[in-house]
Amino acid sequence: MKWLKNIESIVLNGSSGICPYCGSNDTEYAATIVFGDMGFGDVWCNSCKNAYHISRIKIQDGFDSAAKTVPTDLKY
């Protein structure tokens, strides 16, 4: 999976890291709580518009789950 290092970086550093497709640093992530501490997330590149959707994740306390708008023109 190309986005694995980005997911690890989000968990460890709170930063989504470098895009595995184009090498851009212009990446972001968003997490949405659905029930309790469970939800889903997306990580994407604003430059090349590639993205990855993560379903059924546990969102830990302190995780930056601030409401970000996920762009609608992403390529999953």
Side-chain angles (χ1 to χ4, degrees):
M1 172 176 54
K2 287 192 172 205
W3 290 97
L4 185 58
K5 287 186 180 184
N6 301 83
I7 295 167
E8 289 173 349
S9 179
I10 291 167
V11 172
L12 297 174
N13 307 320
S15 168
S16 50
I18 297 171
C19 175
Y21 288 90
C22 72
S24 172
N25 283 323
D26 190 14
T27 59
E28 292 186 63
Y29 68 94
T32 302
I33 295 172
V34 176
F35 181 77
D37 61 355
M38 298 300 293
F40 62 90
D42 294 281
V43 58
W44 68 91
C45 176
N46 289 312
S47 296
C48 70
K49 302 299 182 186
N50 280 294
Y52 188 73
H53 178 78
I54 310 152
S55 60
R56 292 186 225 147
I57 60 172
K58 182 174 181 175
I59 301 172
Q60 300 174 352
D61 289 337
F63 185 78
D64 180 16
S65 60
K68 289 184 188 173
T69 303
V70 178
T72 58
D73 59 345
L74 299 176
K75 299 177 279 186
Y76 287 91

